[in-house]
Amino acid sequence: MSINLPYLLFLGDAWDDLSAKTAIGVYQWRPDACVGQLRLPGCVPSVDLPELTIAEGRERGARTLLVGVVNRGGVFSQAWIDTMVAALEAGMDIASGLHARLGDIPAVAETARRCGRRLHDVRHPEGDFPIGSGAPRNGRRLLTVGTDCSVGKMYTTLCLHRAFAARGVDSDFRATGQTGIFIEGSGVAVDAIVSDFMSGAIEQLCPAADHDHWDLIEGQGSLFHPSYAGVSLGLLHGAQPDTLVLCHEPTRTHMRGLPGRALPDLASCIEANLAAARVVSGDVRFAGVSINTKDLEEKAARTLLESCEKELGLPCIDPARDGADRIVDAIL
Amino acid sequence: MSINLPYLLFLGDAWDDLSAKTAIGVYQWRPDACVGQLRLPGCVPSVDLPELTIAEGRERGARTLLVGVVNRGGVFSQAWIDTMVAALEAGMDIASGLHARLGDIPAVAETARRCGRRLHDVRHPEGDFPIGSGAPRNGRRLLTVGTDCSVGKMYTTLCLHRAFAARGVDSDFRATGQTGIFIEGSGVAVDAIVSDFMSGAIEQLCPAADHDHWDLIEGQGSLFHPSYAGVSLGLLHGAQPDTLVLCHEPTRTHMRGLPGRALPDLASCIEANLAAARVVSGDVRFAGVSINTKDLEEKAARTLLESCEKELGLPCIDPARDGADRIVDAIL
């Protein structure tokens, strides 16, 4: 899936930051790829971009309307549909991460067909994916893995990508979730793929490359999360990483969505990921640990990072506090 | 997916046993669920059932035409379509394990609609599957796992089911692949499910049950097969087994479809499956090993089974030679 940039961000009638988190995340990481925002009456959240109509967005070069909002109750309001139709008629494509398909909205589907525009439903990957082979391939590959879902794997991967780029290292960010795909303009939503093709889709996403090229691959889920561990393993095997970075959120009291289920300790999580990765990547190793300490005071954060570092013998950082340089040092 | 039995087996224009292996497998395990076979001119393989027309099959009570043949070149011949339409008009449903969808054949779709018949495409599971929770649930559950794909997991599970039934133990065979689904008349093709829902679909397939009820769950793939390990893990977590049986094919020189890739040794495979299963099932254990020795002489087979048994400290059997009683003894 390859999306034409830049975006006009559509925040619709979002009622809080969480309901517009896709738009906010894309703006945070790719302000250069966003020409403006379009908000309907009643929309609460906002990003620091000009408010544009469809026509103004198109004038400023927007090539895709990004539906960066979740819809209340799972239904599209007529106001959304009118905006989408206008965007298509103005010459934009539309990209969405909603469960509902853009192509299932008759007016949107008909207009896209008539105007020759593309509809990108990142939760509904199209096309044929191969079966994974596990065959060794050239190039360097780093994958972020986690103790749990939503612990900062995309954030850490993007920080690493910035740090690699700052040093002039040839690297690509490889997105595997919807926000990452919008940020990069390409990628594959691995959890939306038919399970037989998970590892093959990831092999296709990060193919053989020059021996000094790095693919920095966004991880998903956790080998210890019983809802999603299969996805995490398919992704791990498809990625064939030589380098892993463990991501963790230390204030979490239970696995996401599963009250009462404890998180794994970091050492067990490292060991399980190494064992699983060795099926495809004999020399795989961890380069560091990324801990999201946003809910800790500075002193508590420092103490935690130092004690983890001592226990694990790996650089332990919070990229939001210090950037990802220490892990990049360990890698390069 | 629940299919009305019995079947009229449709062997089409199959050119060898392999091209009709679905029909042959269903007949082998469920002769009671097959009223006859329907073979087109030129069909080579045959099962030990009367040759029936659609009308004769219907007279003998067939409720579903089972498309038990693969199609050459991925296309349906007109002769197949005529047979399918006639079956629908005679009052049968149709079940198929082909990649192509029955509902994409206009004449078949239209006739099914007109006659109110059901089309079962087991490779295209329909309906909403839940996200897995990993929450502990009652009932006993056994899962077969493998060193590789196609090493006898379905066969072993069915043998265990027979042995349980012979002792009057309340048990169900839970099918996760297409032939197993046809044999049982229900199940879910886990490798055809969107990956996010793998473990949830398996939780739904083998739900909480009485504490002395056994679900005997057909495994898929292998944690060591890089094409499918994610499916195997999603299935393992969804199954939440308290008992595992390892399946192995000792003459295989490499992982199926991956020349040059060695199979894991049995002890490593046992350890990896236990570690992964403990995420959902703290007290999980192996009850035995099922080794497919069909390509070995009797003496070599005995020697191998004895040496594995000694090395692993578990009953090692070939159910095709001796039945599954020794594993059932170990379990009960």
Side-chain angles (χ1 to χ4, degrees):
Chain A
M1 182 169 299
S2 180
I3 306 171
N4 288 327
L5 306 184
Y7 299 119
L8 175 61
L9 297 180
F10 180 55
L11 277 68
D13 41 12
W15 58 96
D16 62 8
D17 280 5
L18 197 63
S19 65
K21 72 172 184 175
T22 301
I24 293 168
V26 172
Y27 171 69
Q28 179 188 359
W29 283 99
R30 290 296 302 274
D32 60 301
C34 305
V35 303
Q37 61 179 330
L38 195 160
R39 301 162 71 238
L40 295 175
C43 179
V44 177
S46 177
V47 294
D48 189 19
L49 284 171
E51 305 253 9
L52 304 179
T53 63
I54 291 289
E56 290 164 346
R58 186 64 185 142
E59 270 166 35
R60 298 200 187 193
R63 300 183 66 195
T64 298
L65 181 76
L66 174 61
V67 180
V69 52
V70 297
N71 47 340
R72 213 189 277 259
V75 292
F76 292 101
S77 69
Q78 190 60 46
W80 284 34
I81 296 173
D82 291 346
T83 302
M84 291 178 189
V85 167
L88 293 166
E89 289 181 333
M92 293 184 218
D93 297 336
I94 305 180
S96 157
L98 299 173
H99 279 291
R101 288 174 200 255
L102 292 167
D104 287 343
I105 310 170
V108 170
E110 190 278 317
T111 308
R113 201 158 36 232
R114 174 164 51 81
C115 301
R117 307 315 314 168
R118 296 191 300 164
L119 303 176
H120 299 288
D121 283 303
V122 301
R123 281 193 200 256
H124 300 280
E126 288 189 351
D128 288 332
F129 296 101
I131 298 281
S133 75
R137 59 193 195 273
N138 271 339
R140 307 292 308 268
R141 283 175 301 279
L142 178 151
L143 173 69
T144 49
V145 298
T147 51
D148 194 2
C149 305
S150 307
V151 291
K153 290 182 286 284
M154 183 189 83
Y155 186 96
T156 299
T157 314
L158 287 163
C159 287
L160 287 164
H161 187 221
R162 277 196 180 164
F164 271 71
R167 296 174 190 220
V169 178
D170 183 23
S171 67
D172 283 299
F173 169 67
R174 300 300 191 185
T176 62
Q178 58 168 321
T179 302
I181 292 170
F182 294 140
I183 289 169
E184 183 58 24
S186 63
V188 60
V190 63
D191 65 0
I193 299 225
V194 168
S195 61
D196 226 5
F197 304 102
M198 284 187 291
S199 61
I202 300 299
E203 289 181 357
Q204 191 178 63
L205 177 70
C206 44
D210 289 343
H211 74 279
D212 56 354
H213 175 273
W214 281 86
D215 272 334
L216 307 174
I217 306 156
E218 176 192 6
Q220 296 292 336
S222 165
L223 290 181
F224 291 85
H225 197 299
S227 309
Y228 309 113
V231 178
S232 304
L233 184 59
L235 170 49
L236 180 62
H237 283 172
Q240 198 179 104
D242 53 72
T243 304
L244 295 168
V245 170
L246 179 64
C247 301
H248 180 57
E249 208 280 72
T251 65
R252 200 158 292 183
T253 54
H254 58 77
M255 295 293 277
R256 187 174 165 86
L258 304 177
R261 178 176 285 276
L263 270 71
D265 64 82
L266 300 185
S268 302
C269 197
I270 285 174
E271 197 39 59
N273 277 281
L274 286 175
R278 285 191 190 111
V279 168
V280 288
S281 201
D283 295 328
V284 62
R285 67 186 190 89
F286 270 84
V289 180
S290 172
I291 302 184
N292 178 350
T293 63
K294 73 175 189 311
D295 291 331
L296 299 181
E297 302 288 338
E298 171 78 14
K299 192 173 165 212
R302 293 288 161 216
T303 304
L304 176 71
L305 290 168
E306 282 164 24
S307 79
C308 285
E309 182 150 338
K310 195 168 163 190
E311 180 199 339
L312 301 170
L314 291 169
C316 293
I317 60 157
D318 181 343
R321 291 184 190 266
D322 308 310
D325 286 319
R326 288 190 56 231
I327 290 182
V328 175
D329 289 339
I331 292 170
L332 299 178
Chain B
M1 183 170 300
S2 181
I3 306 171
N4 289 328
L5 305 186
Y7 299 120
L8 175 60
L9 297 181
F10 180 55
L11 275 69
D13 41 12
W15 59 96
D16 62 9
D17 281 4
L18 197 61
S19 65
K21 72 172 184 174
T22 302
I24 293 169
V26 172
Y27 170 69
Q28 179 188 1
W29 283 98
R30 290 297 302 276
D32 60 300
C34 305
V35 303
Q37 61 180 332
L38 196 161
R39 301 162 71 238
L40 295 175
C43 179
V44 177
S46 176
V47 295
D48 189 20
L49 284 171
E51 305 252 9
L52 303 180
T53 62
I54 291 289
E56 290 164 347
R58 186 65 184 140
E59 269 167 35
R60 298 200 187 192
R63 299 183 66 195
T64 298
L65 181 75
L66 175 60
V67 181
V69 52
V70 298
N71 48 341
R72 213 188 278 259
V75 292
F76 292 102
S77 68
Q78 190 60 47
W80 284 34
I81 296 174
D82 291 347
T83 303
M84 292 179 190
V85 167
L88 293 166
E89 288 181 334
M92 293 184 218
D93 298 334
I94 305 179
S96 157
L98 299 173
H99 280 291
R101 288 173 199 257
L102 292 167
D104 287 344
I105 308 170
V108 171
E110 190 280 317
T111 309
R113 202 161 35 234
R114 176 164 51 80
C115 301
R117 307 315 314 167
R118 296 190 301 163
L119 302 176
H120 300 288
D121 284 303
V122 301
R123 281 191 200 258
H124 299 280
E126 287 189 351
D128 288 333
F129 296 101
I131 296 281
S133 76
R137 58 192 194 275
N138 271 341
R140 306 292 306 269
R141 283 175 302 280
L142 177 150
L143 173 69
T144 47
V145 299
T147 52
D148 195 1
C149 306
S150 306
V151 290
K153 291 181 286 283
M154 183 188 84
Y155 185 95
T156 300
T157 314
L158 287 163
C159 286
L160 287 164
H161 187 220
R162 278 196 179 163
F164 272 71
R167 296 173 191 221
V169 177
D170 182 24
S171 67
D172 283 298
F173 169 68
R174 300 300 190 184
T176 63
Q178 58 169 321
T179 303
I181 293 170
F182 293 138
I183 288 169
E184 183 58 25
S186 63
V188 61
V190 63
D191 65 1
I193 299 225
V194 168
S195 61
D196 226 5
F197 304 102
M198 284 185 291
S199 61
I202 299 299
E203 290 182 356
Q204 192 177 62
L205 177 69
C206 43
D210 289 344
H211 75 281
D212 56 355
H213 175 272
W214 282 86
D215 273 334
L216 308 174
I217 305 157
E218 176 193 6
Q220 296 292 334
S222 165
L223 290 182
F224 291 84
H225 198 300
S227 309
Y228 308 113
V231 177
S232 304
L233 184 59
L235 171 49
L236 180 62
H237 282 174
Q240 198 178 106
D242 54 72
T243 304
L244 295 168
V245 171
L246 179 64
C247 301
H248 180 57
E249 207 280 72
T251 65
R252 199 158 292 183
T253 54
H254 57 77
M255 296 292 278
R256 188 175 165 84
L258 304 177
R261 176 174 287 277
L263 270 72
D265 64 83
L266 300 184
S268 301
C269 196
I270 285 173
E271 197 39 60
N273 276 282
L274 286 174
R278 285 191 189 110
V279 167
V280 289
S281 201
D283 295 327
V284 62
R285 68 185 190 90
F286 271 83
V289 180
S290 171
I291 301 184
N292 177 349
T293 63
K294 74 176 186 313
D295 292 330
L296 299 181
E297 302 288 337
E298 171 78 16
K299 193 175 166 211
R302 294 288 161 219
T303 305
L304 176 72
L305 290 168
E306 282 165 24
S307 79
C308 285
E309 181 149 338
K310 196 168 165 190
E311 179 200 337
L312 300 170
L314 290 168
C316 293
I317 60 156
D318 181 343
R321 291 183 189 266
D322 309 308
D325 286 319
R326 290 191 53 232
I327 290 182
V328 175
D329 289 339
I331 293 170
L332 299 179

